[in-house]
Amino acid sequence: MMKKFVYAFSEGNAKMRELLGGKGANLAEMTVLGLPVPQGFTITTEACTQYYEDDRQVSPEIEAEIFEHLAKLEELTGKKFGDPSNPLLVSVRSGARASMPGMMDTILNLGLNDQVVEGFAKLTNNERFAYDSYRRFIQMFSDVVMEVPKHQFEVIIDQMKEAKGVTLDTELDADDLKEMVVRFKAYYKEQKNEDFPQQPREQLMEAVKAVFRSWDNPRAIYYRRMNDIPSSWGTAVNVQTMVFGNTGNTSGTGVAFTRDPATGENRLFGEFLVNAQGEDVVAGVRTPQHIDELKDIMPDVYNQFCDVAHRLEQHYRDMQDMEFTIENGKLFMLQTRNGKRTAHAAIKIACDLVDEGMITPQEAVCMVEPKQLDSLLHPQFDQKALKAAKEIGVGLAASPGAACGKVVFTAEEATEEGKKGEAVILVRLETSPEDIEGMNHAKGILTVRGGMTSHAAVVARGMGTCCVSGCGDIVMHEEEGYFELGGRKISRGEYISLDGSTGKIYGEAIPTVAASVSGDFGRLMAWADEARQLKVYTNADTPKDAVQALSFGAEGIGLCRTEHMFFEGVRIKAVREMILSKTEEQRRVALAKLLPMQQGDFEAIYEAMQGHPVTIRFLDPPLHEFVPHTEAEIKELSEEMNISVEEIHNVIASLHEFNPMMGHRGCRLAVSYPEIAEMQTQAVINAAINVSRKHPEWKIVPEIMIPLVGEVKELAYVKSVVTKTADELIAQSGMELHYKVGTMIEIPRAAVTADEIAKEAEFFSFGTNDLTQMTFGFSRDDAGKFLNYYYDKKIYEFDPFAKLDQAGVGKLVEMACKLGRQTRPDIKLGICGEHGGDPSSVEFCHKVGLTYVSCSPFRVPIARLAAAQAAIKYPR
Ligand code: ADP
Ligand code: MG
Ligand code: MG
């Protein structure tokens, strides 16, 4: 049978999302539910994939199928495409499987041309409306399909309004709009050297191709990368009969949510505009009215809409984000989807739906995007400082959170400064999809125009970035590098603070305080903990980090790095003394100075962790990282140690390595200088003994982790140093103390020989940062320079250091787990690379049956939720 590439709305349903895209599947589902949906058809995502396979051509077969469906639509509506006496007009809308807001553009009123518009004016007895629709079509088609720069259209509109002395589009009359069409077409011709296309069928096919093409535009690619959406999915195209919100004052268009997407509050929330079409609400051209006002203007439509909204929420069992149009007092539904929401709202809605009996706690756990939690875990404004701060203005509270940073005016600046680690606030008249990367790098977004559903607001909420929109009091002087607000003049680079929960703007930096996991957040996490099978540990080198992680629900430390402890104050001197030592004896003297400091560190960590497991990794970095680099420091050191400057230079030179990452580091240090491992063992065991004396109930079992092992014999050697030292100390103490020695699996050879390694190692911890580096053969410090070329050429779709490469590195992890268990069935398996806090990587760790994942303190709740979702999706 031939593959079907086009489906009428009446042929689909919500389950066909992969094929029809989210928008198409939900339009079909609403049709099935009997809701008022303008009819149409969906060209499948497979047709998009086919388009790319056919070298960016729509095959004749697919084209024929499209026109078959168009003919059926003509029959259904009684209108004819291109017929001036009763024209069928359509919208052409993109719609991928996962919603990609603002990423791809919609074309409205397609099917109009110079003749059709005249007939349409007669038919509707509304010349103004007909020409308004035509000028909109020319504008959208030119921009989206023909890539004619859109700015000039706005300039023409502004010029015409100015000439007439009016401020609103709606104040232009039919003649003005006719004139506008003439000017638009002239501009088009000037740009393209040809007349504006007059053939509706050609317009349709060009529009379809433009939607397919838009799947591959840079904004879409960037959005996909940020949201883990594979490029192979493709987008569907929806062709839908037009309904018109711009026929006059009994018409309009709007966007609404069944619950408040910022707070989660259970009330209808949204905006609409009278006498407007499509994008007007989102684009922030006019400031829209609150949905509650519809009650007064059109009470029947309002009540009907409330019913529909309620039905949709009950049907989908989730908060819905709906788009609608009212044509001459009649309601039409144009879209519904599970609404994007802030993390705060996501949690409240999930808990409320459980309380309302609509969903189970497990479903609630699956409803919240783990990465989103990030915005709740980061600091909020210090309440005292906030009260003391002076407010200079207020806008709409579009996306909650606290942001403080330096003012920038362009997305490029935001990206540049953000990459340098600077906190910036992006201040714009309004944002557009081109700004997405800059928005992602900004701590906060402030716009002059646009409502709660403007582009800036929608995108910021999706990113969990604080946003205040529509602050009309701001006077921008972007070119001069400043803006005015509340009597203040604020220049580029000055600090401001935004409160995304109140919309308030402060002309100063306001300090922030840490967040906590309580209330609904705590409830959700408790449900998550019940569901998950993976334990969640943290990577923490200090008692402060350990305490932070515990408060976020960490169950242990999976990685305590010891080298950070070597850099502070007086310690670094002892470390340098050790490095400059020429004999073992000298080295032991220096190490003896380090011992009490290191032991104190471990005691503090054991105290902080109150008996939770702690894995301590022995010294890992190459020694040259500890030597002084400036001449002044070298001179100081030479005086202190009574060694000549020249001699120090010699040592530094001797430590130089061509490939330090593959050089004299990890267990190789302990093989060369076993006394270092000896000292570290003493520090760990003494600390455990001392803390155990005070708290025998904690039953501390030290876990010592030897890094960078690639060969079982090197592990066996270092382990013998550790056990000899540890056993002596324990015997002397007269205490009973068990300890474990294990290793990191971070060299491919270790993964491949894990059955051998497990003879010595009592636990494995996958160090997937190094393992990724060694498996790919590129350094994580340098890969940033060339990975962009790989993304552009679609060789890689994501950064393997952020998201575990399951096909390659993951295979090694899986193999090592299997081999390790063969030798030692009860071996403890964990991961301590960056991947331990990445949701898709956590899912992988669950599937291969690790005992725990370990991640930075701020990602602990994210990992807990991701682990729960993995366990629900793939029961072990
Ligand atoms: P996006 O994915 O950017 O939201 P949509 O395809 O939903 O793009 O289109 C944007 C807006 O265009 C809709 O919210 C709606 O107001 C308008 N629109 C789309 N199709 C139609 C139609 N058939 N009739 C009237 N308005 C439409
Ligand atoms: Mg759009
Ligand atoms: Mg939409």
Side-chain angles (χ1 to χ4, degrees):
M1 208 184 76
M2 236 176 70
K3 205 182 216 171
K4 187 170 158 66
F5 285 106
V6 185
Y7 288 76
F9 292 169
S10 54
E11 293 176 297
N13 63 54
K15 293 199 187 79
M16 294 165 76
R17 183 180 198 101
E18 294 195 4
L19 193 60
L20 303 180
K23 199 178 284 168
N26 287 335
L27 282 166
E29 185 81 4
M30 287 198 289
T31 302
V32 174
L33 288 174
L35 297 178
V37 177
Q39 285 307 289
F41 53 85
T42 304
I43 305 163
T44 63
T45 53
E46 289 177 353
C48 179
T49 315
Q50 191 66 46
Y51 164 85
Y52 282 104
E53 273 172 27
D54 293 344
D55 225 3
R56 301 188 173 223
Q57 299 287 332
V58 177
S59 72
E61 293 77 21
I62 295 179
E63 184 165 334
E65 214 180 323
I66 292 172
F67 285 117
E68 259 166 54
H69 277 266
L70 187 70
K72 283 190 199 158
L73 193 60
E74 290 177 329
E75 220 168 280
L76 191 70
T77 57
K79 299 174 184 191
K80 265 191 108 57
F81 206 47
D83 175 1
S85 69
N86 188 19
L88 172 65
L89 301 185
V90 296
S91 64
V92 176
R93 319 170 62 187
S94 60
R97 265 197 239 180
S99 99
M100 294 170 65
M103 283 293 103
M104 286 176 282
D105 294 297
T106 299
I107 297 144
L108 303 179
N109 312 326
L110 187 139
L112 284 172
N113 61 25
D114 293 351
Q115 280 79 49
V116 172
V117 70
E118 273 179 42
F120 193 51
K122 266 191 219 128
L123 183 76
T124 56
N125 199 15
N126 192 340
E127 208 175 28
R128 186 197 182 278
F129 154 64
Y131 281 90
D132 184 50
S133 303
Y134 193 25
R135 70 93 187 163
R136 287 170 186 271
F137 172 56
I138 297 171
Q139 230 174 315
M140 283 185 269
F141 190 86
S142 303
D143 166 32
V144 178
V145 180
M146 308 307 287
E147 281 157 23
V148 174
K150 64 179 166 199
H151 179 67
Q152 187 60 25
F153 292 110
E154 297 294 335
V155 171
I156 295 173
I157 297 175
D158 286 343
Q159 281 169 351
M160 293 189 64
K161 284 197 284 197
E162 212 178 294
K164 215 180 168 192
V166 300
T167 52
L168 294 177
D169 297 2
T170 42
E171 292 170 301
L172 295 172
D173 63 22
D175 287 335
D176 297 327
L177 292 165
K178 270 188 191 171
E179 169 65 19
M180 194 182 285
V181 164
V182 171
R183 293 203 201 175
F184 277 8
K185 283 196 305 185
Y187 170 61
Y188 181 93
K189 190 163 184 181
E190 183 189 307
Q191 289 291 316
K192 304 296 288 186
N193 285 321
E194 59 186 30
D195 286 322
F196 186 79
Q198 293 289 316
Q199 282 300 324
R201 285 177 162 243
E202 181 196 329
Q203 293 170 354
L204 179 61
M205 288 315 298
E206 287 305 316
V208 168
K209 280 188 264 178
V211 175
F212 286 160
R213 275 202 307 273
S214 74
W215 176 251
D216 223 22
N217 75 31
R219 295 181 251 143
I221 292 171
Y222 184 76
Y223 186 90
R224 284 205 291 275
R225 197 150 85 228
M226 254 169 57
N227 292 280
D228 284 349
I229 299 171
S231 73
S232 59
W233 280 5
T235 178
V237 186
N238 301 289
V239 178
Q240 185 175 28
T241 313
M242 280 302 299
V243 287
F244 300 96
N246 56 333
T247 66
N249 287 335
T250 55
S251 299
T253 184
V255 182
F257 297 81
T258 54
R259 296 177 192 232
D260 187 325
T263 65
E265 202 187 323
N266 186 2
R267 64 179 175 110
L268 200 58
F269 177 91
E271 291 168 327
F272 73 101
L273 271 175
V274 168
N275 196 12
Q277 214 181 23
E279 301 279 286
D280 291 357
V281 177
V282 186
V285 180
R286 272 188 279 154
T287 301
Q289 287 173 277
H290 195 276
I291 190 84
D292 290 347
E293 292 176 54
L294 189 62
K295 206 186 302 185
D296 305 326
I297 305 176
M298 299 179 216
D300 291 346
V301 175
Y302 177 79
N303 287 334
Q304 192 195 349
F305 183 70
C306 289
D307 285 347
V308 170
H310 184 70
R311 251 187 94 184
L312 284 173
E313 187 177 275
Q314 293 282 325
H315 183 72
Y316 285 98
R317 299 190 307 140
D318 194 357
M319 184 261 261
Q320 293 300 294
D321 167 0
M322 301 155 297
E323 295 173 10
F324 64 94
T325 283
I326 304 158
E327 179 181 296
N328 297 325
K330 190 170 170 355
L331 174 71
F332 291 95
M333 297 303 295
L334 292 174
Q335 188 171 344
T336 194
R337 63 178 169 215
N338 295 342
K340 298 238 179 247
R341 61 206 79 179
T342 63
H344 179 77
I347 289 171
K348 175 160 170 55
I349 291 170
C351 289
D352 285 353
L353 292 180
V354 171
D355 294 339
E356 290 162 29
M358 218 191 286
I359 59 170
T360 64
Q362 283 214 343
E363 286 171 315
V365 162
C366 294
M367 207 177 223
V368 179
E369 173 81 39
K371 276 189 185 158
Q372 239 194 336
L373 297 182
D374 192 51
S375 65
L376 297 177
L377 301 172
H378 287 284
Q380 315 279 319
F381 283 134
D382 175 75
Q383 286 303 313
K384 253 198 194 150
L386 186 65
K387 281 216 181 84
K390 194 170 149 13
E391 185 190 322
I392 56 167
V394 63
L396 300 173
S399 178
C404 166
K406 291 180 181 174
V407 168
V408 297
F409 292 112
T410 65
E412 291 73 37
E413 273 178 280
T415 305
E416 201 176 297
E417 294 294 315
K419 279 187 176 160
K420 282 191 232 150
E422 286 284 351
V424 298
I425 308 276
L426 178 61
V427 183
R428 305 275 296 149
L429 273 180
E430 64 205 347
T431 65
S432 70
E434 284 87 0
D435 295 334
I436 187 148
E437 188 171 3
M439 293 172 75
N440 196 31
H441 283 288
K443 291 271 183 257
I445 295 154
L446 173 60
T447 69
V448 182
R449 293 191 208 138
M452 291 294 288
T453 44
S454 66
H455 177 265
V458 171
V459 173
R461 280 200 293 272
M463 290 173 173
T465 301
C466 163
C467 174
V468 173
S469 69
C471 178
D473 293 338
I474 292 179
V475 185
M476 287 285 262
H477 302 273
E478 198 185 314
E479 315 235 298
E480 293 84 13
Y482 71 97
F483 70 88
E484 288 171 276
L485 180 64
R488 285 273 312 273
K489 187 177 144 182
I490 295 179
S491 302
R492 168 183 292 116
E494 269 184 67
Y495 276 96
I496 61 169
S497 300
L498 301 180
D499 187 339
S501 314
T502 60
K504 290 184 180 163
I505 303 153
Y506 303 87
E508 63 198 90
I510 302 175
T512 52
V513 289
S516 82
V517 184
S518 58
D520 280 341
F521 193 0
R523 271 179 90 193
L524 185 84
M525 293 313 294
W527 291 329
D529 290 346
E530 233 165 81
R532 72 187 157 90
Q533 286 154 326
L534 273 174
K535 288 190 185 307
V536 177
Y537 287 8
T538 191
N539 298 349
D541 307 341
T542 64
K544 180 168 164 274
D545 285 353
V547 168
Q548 176 69 269
L550 280 180
S551 82
F552 285 152
E555 299 166 281
I557 292 181
L559 176 62
C560 176
R561 304 177 189 85
T562 52
E563 55 271 15
H564 292 178
M565 301 168 174
F566 282 11
F567 281 103
E568 278 164 47
V570 283
R571 305 174 175 201
I572 187 69
K573 291 198 177 133
V575 172
R576 287 172 177 168
E577 200 181 311
M578 168 188 88
I579 293 171
L580 293 173
S581 302
K582 281 191 216 112
T583 64
E584 184 185 324
E585 218 169 25
Q586 278 178 329
R587 220 167 8 251
R588 282 185 182 279
V589 172
L591 284 166
K593 292 183 192 167
L594 281 170
L595 175 61
M597 300 189 248
Q598 180 116 85
Q599 184 178 321
D601 292 332
F602 295 147
E603 280 171 11
I605 284 186
Y606 280 130
E607 291 276 357
M609 291 305 287
Q610 303 181 9
H612 292 287
V614 178
T615 306
I616 291 169
R617 180 183 71 183
F618 277 8
L619 193 64
D620 183 56
L623 294 181
H624 74 85
E625 288 192 13
F626 299 103
V627 297
H629 296 289
T630 66
E631 283 307 315
E633 278 180 304
I634 291 173
K635 187 145 174 285
E636 198 189 319
L637 186 67
S638 99
E639 277 157 19
E640 257 166 43
M641 290 201 56
N642 214 359
I643 302 181
S644 74
V645 167
E646 195 195 348
E647 207 170 321
I648 295 181
H649 275 292
N650 286 342
V651 173
I652 293 173
S654 76
L655 288 174
H656 172 79
E657 289 178 315
F658 289 101
N659 263 319
M661 273 296 155
M662 299 172 83
H664 196 183
R665 56 176 286 225
C667 64
R668 294 160 203 164
L669 289 173
V671 169
S672 323
Y673 312 116
E675 51 281 5
I676 299 178
E678 223 178 283
M679 182 281 282
Q680 292 202 294
T681 305
Q682 286 169 346
V684 172
I685 298 298
N686 283 341
I689 288 172
N690 288 348
V691 177
S692 297
R693 282 220 165 93
K694 273 195 261 170
H695 297 284
E697 73 282 7
W698 287 350
K699 301 199 169 50
I700 294 173
V701 179
E703 295 178 49
I704 291 172
M705 180 151 78
I706 311 301
L708 221 75
V709 165
E711 153 64 49
V712 66
K713 284 185 201 144
E714 69 188 331
L715 175 60
Y717 171 73
V718 181
K719 187 180 172 185
S720 73
V721 175
V722 171
T723 52
K724 182 165 172 287
T725 313
D727 292 347
E728 265 169 29
L729 285 174
I730 293 167
Q732 276 166 22
S733 77
M735 301 235 326
E736 202 188 322
L737 184 80
H738 296 284
Y739 65 94
K740 288 183 187 163
V741 181
T743 184
M744 267 176 118
I745 303 287
E746 52 188 335
I747 287 187
R749 193 179 190 283
V752 174
T753 61
D755 47 347
E756 293 290 316
I757 307 262
K759 286 183 186 152
E760 297 292 337
E762 290 166 278
F763 60 85
F764 287 167
S765 175
F766 291 96
T768 48
N769 297 345
D770 265 307
L771 188 59
T772 298
Q773 175 164 264
M774 306 266 189
T775 302
F776 278 87
F778 53 58
S779 123
R780 68 184 118 138
D781 302 307
D782 297 323
K785 287 186 204 143
F786 54 80
L787 275 179
N788 278 328
Y789 296 106
Y790 279 71
Y791 301 143
D792 289 347
K793 306 221 155 77
K794 301 208 177 66
I795 296 171
Y796 298 139
E797 284 191 35
F798 58 86
D799 177 354
F801 292 107
K803 183 176 155 184
L804 190 76
D805 158 47
Q806 298 185 11
V809 179
K811 207 172 200 173
L812 285 173
V813 171
E814 240 181 308
M815 178 195 284
C817 288
K818 201 168 137 236
L819 292 175
R821 286 201 193 98
Q822 257 172 35
T823 305
R824 199 184 281 270
D826 63 340
I827 190 162
K828 184 175 176 183
L829 302 168
I831 181 174
C832 61
E834 279 302 297
H835 304 100
D838 168 65
S840 72
S841 310
V842 171
E843 183 181 291
F844 173 82
C845 294
H846 168 83
K847 284 199 215 156
V848 298
L850 296 194
T851 319
Y852 68 88
V853 296
S854 186
C855 57
S856 67
F858 280 97
R859 288 164 92 185
V860 165
I862 297 172
R864 282 162 73 195
L865 187 57
Q869 293 182 352
I872 292 168
K873 230 161 117 190
Y874 305 98
R876 269 184 192 168

